[in-house]
Coordinates of all heavy atoms in Angstrom, one line a residue:
N14 N 8.1 -9.9 -9.8 CA 9.4 -10.4 -9.3 C 10.4 -9.2 -9.0 O 11.1 -9.4 -8.0 CB 10.0 -11.4 -10.3 CG 9.2 -12.7 -10.4 OD1 8.6 -13.1 -9.4 ND2 9.2 -13.3 -11.6
K15 N 10.4 -8.2 -9.8 CA 11.3 -7.1 -9.6 C 10.8 -6.4 -8.2 O 11.7 -6.0 -7.4 CB 11.1 -6.1 -10.7 CG 11.9 -4.8 -10.5 CD 11.7 -3.8 -11.6 CE 12.3 -2.5 -11.3 NZ 11.4 -1.4 -11.7
E16 N 9.6 -6.2 -8.0 CA 9.1 -5.6 -6.8 C 9.4 -6.5 -5.6 O 9.7 -6.0 -4.5 CB 7.6 -5.4 -6.8 CG 7.2 -4.2 -7.8 CD 7.9 -2.9 -7.4 OE1 7.8 -2.5 -6.2 OE2 8.4 -2.2 -8.4
L17 N 9.3 -7.8 -5.7 CA 9.7 -8.7 -4.6 C 11.1 -8.6 -4.2 O 11.5 -8.9 -3.1 CB 9.2 -10.2 -4.9 CG 7.8 -10.4 -5.0 CD1 7.6 -11.9 -5.4 CD2 7.1 -10.2 -3.6
A18 N 12.0 -8.4 -5.3 CA 13.4 -8.4 -5.0 C 13.8 -7.1 -4.3 O 14.9 -7.1 -3.7 CB 14.1 -8.5 -6.3
Q19 N 13.0 -6.1 -4.4 CA 13.4 -4.8 -3.7 C 12.8 -4.7 -2.3 O 11.7 -5.3 -2.1 CB 12.8 -3.7 -4.6 CG 13.4 -3.6 -5.9 CD 12.8 -2.4 -6.7 OE1 12.2 -1.5 -6.2 NE2 12.9 -2.6 -8.0
P20 N 13.5 -4.0 -1.4 CA 12.8 -3.8 -0.1 C 11.6 -2.9 -0.2 O 11.5 -2.1 -1.2 CB 13.9 -3.2 0.7 CG 14.9 -2.7 -0.3 CD 14.8 -3.5 -1.5
T21 N 10.7 -3.1 0.7 CA 9.4 -2.3 0.7 C 9.8 -0.9 1.1 O 10.5 -0.7 2.1 CB 8.4 -2.9 1.7 OG1 8.1 -4.2 1.2 CG2 7.2 -2.0 1.7
D22 N 9.4 0.1 0.3 CA 9.6 1.5 0.6 C 8.3 2.1 1.0 O 7.6 2.7 0.2 CB 10.2 2.3 -0.6 CG 10.6 3.7 -0.3 OD1 10.3 4.1 0.8 OD2 11.2 4.3 -1.2
I23 N 7.9 1.9 2.3 CA 6.7 2.4 2.7 C 6.6 3.9 2.7 O 5.5 4.5 2.5 CB 6.4 1.8 4.2 CG1 4.9 2.0 4.6 CG2 7.2 2.5 5.2 CD1 3.9 1.3 3.8
D24 N 7.7 4.6 2.9 CA 7.7 6.0 2.8 C 7.2 6.5 1.4 O 6.4 7.4 1.2 CB 9.1 6.6 3.1 CG 9.5 6.5 4.5 OD1 8.6 6.4 5.4 OD2 10.7 6.3 4.8
A25 N 7.8 5.8 0.3 CA 7.4 6.2 -1.1 C 5.9 5.9 -1.3 O 5.2 6.6 -2.0 CB 8.3 5.4 -2.1
I26 N 5.4 4.7 -0.8 CA 4.0 4.3 -1.0 C 3.1 5.4 -0.3 O 2.2 5.9 -1.0 CB 3.8 2.9 -0.4 CG1 4.5 1.9 -1.2 CG2 2.3 2.6 -0.3 CD1 4.5 0.5 -0.7
V27 N 3.4 5.7 0.9 CA 2.6 6.7 1.6 C 2.6 8.1 0.9 O 1.6 8.8 0.8 CB 3.0 6.8 3.1 CG1 2.3 7.9 3.7 CG2 2.6 5.5 3.8
A28 N 3.8 8.5 0.6 CA 4.0 9.8 -0.1 C 3.3 9.9 -1.4 O 2.9 11.0 -1.9 CB 5.5 10.1 -0.3
S29 N 3.1 8.8 -2.0 CA 2.4 8.8 -3.4 C 1.0 9.2 -3.3 O 0.3 9.5 -4.3 CB 2.6 7.5 -4.1 OG 1.8 6.5 -3.5
A30 N 0.3 9.0 -2.1 CA -1.1 9.3 -1.9 C -1.2 10.8 -1.6 O -0.9 11.3 -0.5 CB -1.6 8.5 -0.8
V31 N -1.6 11.5 -2.6 CA -1.7 13.0 -2.5 C -3.1 13.6 -2.2 O -3.3 14.7 -2.0 CB -1.1 13.7 -3.7 CG1 0.4 13.4 -3.8 CG2 -1.8 13.3 -5.0
S32 N -4.1 12.7 -2.3 CA -5.4 13.1 -2.0 C -6.0 12.1 -1.0 O -5.6 11.0 -0.8 CB -6.3 13.1 -3.3 OG -6.5 11.8 -3.7
E33 N -7.1 12.5 -0.4 CA -7.8 11.7 0.6 C -8.3 10.4 -0.1 O -8.2 9.3 0.5 CB -9.0 12.5 1.2 CG -9.6 11.7 2.4 CD -10.4 12.7 3.3 OE1 -10.9 13.7 2.8 OE2 -10.6 12.4 4.5
S34 N -8.8 10.5 -1.3 CA -9.3 9.3 -2.0 C -8.2 8.4 -2.3 O -8.3 7.2 -2.2 CB -10.0 9.7 -3.3 OG -9.1 10.4 -4.2
Q35 N -7.0 8.9 -2.6 CA -5.9 8.0 -2.8 C -5.4 7.3 -1.6 O -5.0 6.1 -1.6 CB -4.7 8.7 -3.5 CG -5.0 9.1 -4.9 CD -3.8 9.8 -5.6 OE1 -2.9 10.4 -4.9 NE2 -3.7 9.8 -6.8
K36 N -5.4 8.0 -0.4 CA -5.2 7.4 0.8 C -6.1 6.3 1.2 O -5.7 5.2 1.6 CB -5.2 8.5 2.0 CG -4.1 9.5 1.9 CD -4.2 10.5 2.9 CE -3.1 11.6 2.8 NZ -3.2 12.6 3.9
V37 N -7.4 6.5 1.0 CA -8.4 5.5 1.2 C -8.2 4.3 0.3 O -8.2 3.2 0.7 CB -9.8 6.1 1.0 CG1 -10.9 5.0 0.9 CG2 -10.1 7.1 2.1
E38 N -7.8 4.5 -1.0 CA -7.6 3.4 -1.9 C -6.3 2.6 -1.6 O -6.3 1.4 -1.7 CB -7.5 4.0 -3.4 CG -8.9 4.3 -4.0 CD -8.8 4.7 -5.4 OE1 -8.3 3.8 -6.2 OE2 -9.1 5.8 -5.8
L39 N -5.3 3.3 -1.1 CA -4.1 2.6 -0.7 C -4.4 1.7 0.5 O -4.0 0.5 0.5 CB -3.0 3.6 -0.3 CG -2.0 4.1 -1.3 CD1 -1.0 5.0 -0.8 CD2 -1.4 2.9 -2.0
Y40 N -5.1 2.2 1.4 CA -5.5 1.3 2.6 C -6.4 0.2 2.1 O -6.3 -1.0 2.5 CB -6.1 2.2 3.8 CG -6.4 1.2 4.9 CD1 -5.4 1.0 5.9 CD2 -7.6 0.6 5.1 CE1 -5.6 0.1 6.9 CE2 -7.9 -0.2 6.1 CZ -6.9 -0.4 7.1 OH -7.1 -1.3 8.1
T41 N -7.4 0.6 1.3 CA -8.4 -0.5 0.8 C -7.7 -1.6 0.1 O -7.9 -2.8 0.2 CB -9.4 0.2 0.0 OG1 -10.1 1.2 0.7 CG2 -10.4 -0.9 -0.5
A42 N -6.8 -1.2 -0.9 CA -6.0 -2.2 -1.6 C -5.2 -3.1 -0.7 O -5.1 -4.3 -0.9 CB -5.0 -1.6 -2.6
S43 N -4.6 -2.5 0.3 CA -3.8 -3.3 1.3 C -4.7 -4.3 2.1 O -4.4 -5.4 2.3 CB -3.0 -2.4 2.2 OG -2.1 -1.6 1.4
R44 N -5.8 -3.7 2.5 CA -6.7 -4.5 3.4 C -7.4 -5.6 2.5 O -7.7 -6.7 3.0 CB -7.8 -3.6 3.9 CG -8.9 -4.2 4.7 CD -8.3 -5.1 5.9 NE -9.4 -5.8 6.6 CZ -9.9 -6.9 6.3 NH1 -9.5 -7.5 5.3 NH2 -10.9 -7.5 7.1
L45 N -7.6 -5.4 1.3 CA -8.2 -6.4 0.4 C -7.2 -7.5 0.2 O -7.6 -8.6 -0.1 CB -8.5 -5.7 -1.0 CG -9.3 -6.5 -2.0 CD1 -10.6 -7.0 -1.4 CD2 -9.5 -5.7 -3.3
T46 N -5.9 -7.2 0.2 CA -4.9 -8.2 -0.1 C -4.7 -9.1 1.1 O -4.5 -10.3 0.8 CB -3.5 -7.5 -0.4 OG1 -3.7 -6.6 -1.4 CG2 -2.5 -8.5 -0.7
I47 N -4.9 -8.6 2.3 CA -4.7 -9.5 3.5 C -5.9 -9.5 4.3 O -6.5 -8.5 4.4 CB -3.4 -9.2 4.2 CG1 -3.4 -7.7 4.7 CG2 -2.1 -9.4 3.4 CD1 -2.2 -7.3 5.6
D48 N -6.1 -10.6 5.0 CA -7.1 -10.7 6.1 C -6.3 -10.7 7.3 O -5.6 -11.7 7.6 CB -7.9 -11.9 5.9 CG -9.2 -11.9 6.8 OD1 -9.5 -10.9 7.3 OD2 -9.8 -13.0 6.8
P49 N -6.3 -9.7 8.1 CA -5.4 -9.5 9.2 C -5.6 -10.6 10.3 O -6.1 -10.3 11.4 CB -5.7 -8.1 9.8 CG -7.1 -7.8 9.3 CD -7.3 -8.6 8.1
G50 N -5.2 -11.8 10.0 CA -5.3 -12.9 10.9 C -4.1 -13.1 11.8 O -4.1 -13.9 12.7
T51 N -3.1 -12.3 11.5 CA -1.8 -12.4 12.4 C -1.6 -11.0 13.0 O -2.0 -10.0 12.4 CB -0.6 -12.9 11.6 OG1 -0.2 -11.9 10.7 CG2 -0.8 -14.2 10.9

């Protein structure tokens, strides 16, 4: 609920991925959450 109340900080999310594996995991987690139907 706290995260929902805050605006999305995509800059902070992207900046937190400091390795290639973390970048892959961030995208994978996002892709796992949504099926890009829109």
Side-chain angles (χ1 to χ4, degrees):
N14 290 330
K15 178 182 165 218
E16 290 300 314
L17 288 177
Q19 298 178 18
T21 299
D22 186 353
I23 194 67
D24 292 331
I26 291 171
V27 169
S29 70
V31 296
S32 68
E33 193 165 22
S34 61
Q35 287 182 339
K36 291 177 182 183
V37 169
E38 285 189 60
L39 271 180
Y40 183 86
T41 302
S43 299
R44 177 57 181 85
L45 187 60
T46 304
I47 58 176
D48 191 10
T51 68

